């Protein structure tokens, strides 16, 4: 196997990987759910003791939207039920150069994505047959003041027995977490039975700006959850349409994921929480949520029930402090154990140079440098194999169509010449997981979103606007092919080899600039390493004899 065949193998593996990822996202068989609930679980039971999460109800005329603003988040809270119906990320814009903040949660026609929460159970305000409560708020807008670390906003409602429920939202400076807590003092003469739930509801059909390009493996958009048995489990929208999840776990979280951003409810770490899904609105919307254990509040006693909501970018270090394994929503796939160290190295390099593009160049140099012994072994094995081509041809002429004798003769020849026929393939098999892991590291890192590099490259997370990097990548790929001698004589294989740089150039036109920059630098390193290795082989007489053969 020579370098051109290796190039073809890499190309086919990469393209196959991307196609497989897309197939998984669109066509893969649906996994079986952990457990199935009743088909009609989206409709609340008529019983006052029901612990089913209530279905949506028509909005009441006296409801309001209350604005909560911190240094990171701008939220709108609906006084009916106390749901968060809009969330803007103040330090992340819709587009580079824009002053419009990125809107993660929203309640718009045809595009719903909200965070709901409430109290159910026999005495839960959200289990009432007459509808969810309408809370009162002292102000229409609350802002985190300068020098203030936390903003705590109470919403209150009093039931027919005179029991006041205070639903408090806590925003913290520098954080993307929202604390949602109920403070209840039982002033009645009987115990209260209450159960907290938090859920995310989203329109299933992806908006245009979140639909993937056919030439790329798409980032996952859908639901996910974590249990003690499954640290990170995706729950696709198609699965939610067909079956309802119902599983109990200690701790855990539920979330809705998209490229770079996530919203997630994290339950009490020591509590036995129930995680569930369902589809509503004639399968137009999907819900994933959690219910905490049922609590009894004795007469005259007080209780606090609640959970933490993360609504923001996929920041691994910060999410890991909110809930166990929440950082796994940065989805590196099955090569996460390679991708996570690569990402930490990338962050460290960025802390040194202050530019993500330069950090990508440095990590490419480090990875390719670390793999240099494998690259050298690969080219050395290729050179030795090409030296044997005349002898292999003689064996073919000698044994003709007798495959058994031909195979035996080849093995004896390899043994005599001390050549491993798989020596050129093995290094590629080791390198490919690293290449793919680095691909997903760059693909999933929100830090690269709107991150500039230099000159016209102002955003490493989108394609090169002038296609300079893809064209340079294709040129370097052609140069690698040009400088690599070959013994391929089959016309079809030769044509495939010739078109590989063109195919890759076209494919990379749509890749994020950061990924294309990595591949371009990798090609340049390959050219340098190949030149160096060939010179060393020439000194040993391998490369020169190989070219003469």
């Amino acid at each position: 196997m020579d370098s051109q065949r290796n190039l073809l193998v890499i190309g086919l593996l990469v393209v196959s990987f991307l196609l497989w990822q897309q197939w998984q996202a669109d066509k893969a068989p649906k996994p079986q759910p952990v457990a199935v609930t009743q088909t009609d679980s989206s409709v609340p039971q008529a019983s006052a003791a029901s612990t089913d999460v209530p279905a949506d109800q028509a909005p009441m005329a006296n409801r309001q939207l209350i604005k909560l603003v911190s240094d990171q988040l701008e939220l709108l809270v609906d006084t009916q039920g106390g749901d968060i119906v809009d969330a803007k990320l103040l330090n992340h814009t819709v587009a580079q150069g824009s002053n419009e903040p990125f809107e993660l949660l929203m309640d718009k026609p045809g595009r719903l994505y909200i965070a709901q929460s409430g109290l159910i159970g026999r005495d839960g305000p959200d289990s009432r047959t007459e509808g969810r409560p309408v809370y009162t708020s002292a102000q229409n807008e609350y802002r985190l003041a300068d020098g203030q670390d936390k903003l705590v906003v109470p919403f209150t409602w009093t039931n027919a027995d005179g029991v006041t429920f205070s639903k408090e939202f806590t925003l913290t400076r520098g954080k993307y977490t929202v604390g949602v807590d109920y403070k209840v003092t039982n002033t009645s003469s009987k115990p209260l039975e209450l159960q907290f739930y938090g859920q995310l509801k989203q329109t299933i059909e992806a908006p245009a700006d979140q639909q993937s390009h056919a030439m790329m493996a798409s980032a996952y958009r859908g639901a996910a959850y974590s249990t003690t048995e499954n640290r990170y489990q995706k729950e696709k929208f198609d699965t939610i349409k067909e079956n309802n999840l119902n599983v109990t776990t200690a701790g855990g979280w539920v979330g809705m994921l998209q490229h770079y951003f996530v919203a997630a409810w994290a339950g009490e770490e020591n509590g036995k929480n129930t995680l569930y899904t369902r589809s509503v609105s004639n399968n137009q919307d999907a819900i994933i949520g959690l219910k905490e254990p049922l609590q009894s509040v004795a007469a005259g006693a007080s209780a606090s029930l609640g959970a933490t909501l993360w609504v923001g970018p996929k920041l691994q270090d910060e999410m890991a402090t909110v809930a166990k394994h929440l950082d796994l929503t940065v989805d590196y796939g099955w090569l996460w154990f390679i991708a996570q160290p690569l990402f930490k190295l990338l962050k460290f390099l960025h802390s040194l140079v202050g530019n993500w593009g330069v950090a990508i160049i440095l990590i490419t140099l480090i990875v390719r440098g670390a793999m240099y012994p494998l690259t050298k072994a690969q080219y050395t094995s290729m050179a030795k194999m090409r030296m044997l081509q005349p002898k292999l041809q003689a064996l073919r002429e000698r044994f003709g169509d007798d495959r058994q004798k031909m195979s035996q003769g080849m093995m004896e020849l390899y043994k005599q010449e001390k050549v491993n026929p798989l020596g050129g393939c093995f290094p590629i098999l080791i390198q490919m997981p690293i290449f793919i892991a680095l691909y997903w590291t760059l693909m999933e890192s929100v830090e690269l979103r709107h991150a500039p590099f230099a000159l016209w490259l102002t955003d490493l997370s989108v394609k090169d606007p002038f296609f300079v990097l893809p064209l340079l990548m294709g040129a370097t790929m052609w140069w690698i092919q040009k400088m690599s001698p070959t013994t391929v004589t089959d016309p079809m294989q030769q044509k495939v080899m010739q078109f590989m740089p063109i195919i890759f150039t076209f494919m990379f036109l749509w890749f994020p600039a950061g990924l294309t920059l990595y591949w371009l630098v990798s090609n340049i390193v390959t050219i340098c390493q190949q030149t160096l290795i060939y010179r060393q082989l020439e000194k040993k007489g391998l490369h020169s004899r190989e070219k003469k053969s």
Side-chain angles (χ1 to χ4, degrees):
M1 178 178 289
D2 58 24
S3 59
Q4 292 189 13
R5 286 183 178 176
N6 289 340
L7 190 62
L8 177 60
V9 170
I10 292 177
L12 292 176
L13 286 173
V14 171
V15 173
S16 299
F17 166 72
L18 298 180
L19 292 175
W20 177 79
Q21 287 283 346
Q22 192 65 41
W23 182 86
Q24 283 284 345
D26 299 335
K27 306 284 186 181
K30 309 303 182 297
Q32 294 298 316
V34 177
V36 178
T37 60
Q38 296 180 354
T39 304
D40 199 24
S41 63
S42 62
V43 180
Q45 300 292 325
S47 169
S50 170
T51 57
D52 283 347
V53 177
D56 290 337
Q57 300 152 335
M60 297 183 178
N62 57 345
R63 65 196 283 255
Q64 293 179 292
L65 297 180
I66 309 300
K67 181 182 290 187
L68 315 181
V69 184
S70 71
D71 61 326
Q72 300 284 358
L73 299 171
E74 179 181 306
L75 310 178
L76 288 181
V77 179
D78 190 341
T79 55
Q80 183 178 4
D83 297 334
I84 300 175
V85 296
D86 194 274
K88 294 183 175 67
L89 311 183
L90 300 180
N91 293 319
H92 292 264
T93 57
V94 173
Q96 193 173 41
S98 170
N99 293 323
E100 181 183 357
F102 182 83
E103 191 174 16
L104 182 57
L105 302 183
M106 65 198 71
D107 186 357
K108 298 179 180 179
R111 192 170 178 182
L112 180 70
Y113 186 10
I114 60 177
Q116 300 177 301
S117 57
L119 293 180
I120 50 179
R122 186 188 65 194
D123 303 294
D126 296 274
S127 291
R128 302 182 311 147
T129 56
E130 59 267 38
R132 301 183 69 193
V134 177
Y135 292 87
T136 59
S137 174
Q139 302 172 203
N140 292 328
E141 182 174 323
Y142 299 84
R143 289 183 177 272
L144 185 69
D146 293 339
Q148 186 180 7
D149 290 331
K150 288 189 177 182
L151 176 66
V152 181
V153 180
F155 290 69
T156 59
W157 177 81
T158 304
N159 69 5
D161 294 329
V163 179
T164 297
F165 295 82
S166 177
K167 186 174 187 178
E168 295 183 352
F169 293 86
T170 302
L171 279 68
T172 305
R173 182 175 296 279
K175 303 291 185 181
Y176 290 98
T177 55
V178 181
V180 181
D181 298 284
Y182 283 86
K183 309 292 184 182
V184 182
T185 299
N186 187 3
T187 56
S188 69
S189 59
K190 62 179 182 180
L192 303 176
E193 290 187 0
L194 305 169
Q195 185 177 25
F196 176 87
Y197 79 90
Q199 65 183 26
L200 296 161
K201 180 180 179 183
Q202 183 172 196
T203 302
I204 290 176
E205 184 178 356
D209 60 351
Q210 293 182 30
Q211 293 177 0
S212 60
H213 193 279
M215 294 302 298
M216 290 188 59
S218 59
Y220 176 70
R221 177 184 179 270
Y225 64 91
S226 177
T227 67
T228 52
E229 294 183 358
N230 295 300
R231 302 190 312 161
Y232 171 66
Q233 181 66 49
K234 295 177 182 177
E235 191 76 358
K236 297 180 180 179
F237 286 146
D238 288 343
T239 304
I240 295 175
K241 286 181 181 180
E242 297 176 0
N243 299 289
N244 292 334
L245 175 74
N246 184 11
V247 58
T248 301
T249 181
W253 55 260
V254 295
M256 291 281 192
L257 282 59
Q258 64 190 62
H259 199 196
Y260 295 136
F261 302 100
V262 60
W265 283 104
E268 292 291 336
E269 186 174 351
N270 298 322
K272 287 288 185 180
N273 303 313
T274 300
L275 314 185
Y276 61 90
T277 63
R278 66 175 186 250
S279 63
V280 294
S281 307
N282 294 322
N283 284 336
Q284 296 297 312
D285 302 325
I287 288 175
I288 187 167
L290 61 83
K291 293 186 290 186
E292 294 183 348
L294 188 69
Q295 289 194 32
S296 179
V297 185
S302 299
S304 177
L305 303 86
T308 300
L309 173 69
W310 173 278
V311 52
K314 295 179 182 178
L315 302 174
Q316 296 182 58
D317 293 341
E318 294 184 26
M319 289 191 296
T321 64
V322 174
K324 194 173 182 180
H325 306 313
L326 184 58
D327 57 319
L328 296 182
T329 55
V330 181
D331 192 355
Y332 293 137
W334 60 280
L335 291 172
W336 58 268
F337 55 92
I338 300 176
Q340 284 186 343
L342 287 176
F343 174 73
K344 291 180 180 179
L345 176 58
L346 186 66
K347 281 189 66 176
F348 172 74
L349 294 173
H350 176 263
S351 68
L352 297 179
V353 298
N355 184 295
W356 287 105
V358 176
I360 290 173
I361 293 174
L362 291 177
I363 198 172
T364 307
L365 296 175
I366 292 173
V367 170
R368 293 307 305 268
M371 293 191 297
Y372 177 74
L374 292 176
T375 304
K376 184 177 180 180
Q378 173 186 337
Y379 282 109
T380 302
S381 177
M382 286 157 41
K384 290 181 178 180
M385 284 297 296
R386 283 194 291 269
M387 286 175 57
L388 296 181
Q389 288 303 314
K391 295 182 179 180
L392 290 173
Q393 183 61 32
L395 288 176
R396 294 188 186 98
E397 295 174 355
R398 178 181 175 185
F399 295 114
D401 295 333
D402 192 334
R403 295 185 178 182
Q404 183 175 358
K405 290 184 177 180
M406 177 65 187
S407 178
Q408 293 175 350
M410 289 173 61
M411 292 299 102
E412 292 178 1
L413 178 62
Y414 293 149
K415 186 176 181 180
Q416 292 174 0
E417 299 291 340
K418 297 181 180 180
V419 172
N420 182 1
L422 299 179
C425 300
F426 184 67
I428 294 181
L429 297 178
I430 296 179
Q431 294 175 44
M432 280 308 300
I434 299 176
F435 291 151
I436 296 173
L438 190 53
Y439 170 94
W440 280 112
T441 299
L442 300 178
M443 183 76 176
E444 278 286 289
S445 299
V446 68
E447 289 81 359
L448 268 63
R449 185 177 186 266
H450 297 170
F453 173 39
L455 302 176
W456 71 96
L457 296 173
T458 59
D459 188 350
L460 290 169
S461 67
V462 300
K463 66 181 182 181
D464 183 337
F466 302 112
F467 306 114
V468 175
L469 288 183
L471 292 175
L472 289 175
M473 188 280 304
T476 55
M477 192 172 183
W478 173 84
W479 183 252
I480 292 173
Q481 189 181 81
K482 187 74 173 177
M483 69 184 295
S484 302
T486 180
T487 58
V488 175
T489 58
D490 181 70
M492 181 59 68
Q493 288 190 34
Q494 289 178 346
K495 288 182 179 180
V496 172
M497 297 294 183
Q498 292 170 359
F499 277 101
M500 284 301 293
I502 299 175
I503 295 172
F504 264 64
T505 299
F506 178 76
M507 185 172 65
F508 272 77
L509 292 176
W510 314 105
F511 273 40
L515 294 173
T516 311
L517 176 63
Y518 153 71
W519 204 278
L520 170 61
V521 175
S522 182
N523 281 355
I524 294 174
V525 173
T526 297
I527 292 173
C528 296
Q529 288 183 341
Q530 192 167 330
T531 301
L532 176 62
I533 292 170
Y534 280 167
R535 287 179 180 175
Q536 293 175 346
L537 293 176
E538 286 178 358
K539 292 180 179 179
K540 296 179 180 179
L542 288 176
H543 188 48
S544 59
R545 282 185 289 166
E546 168 270 318
K547 288 194 291 185
K548 291 178 182 179
S549 64

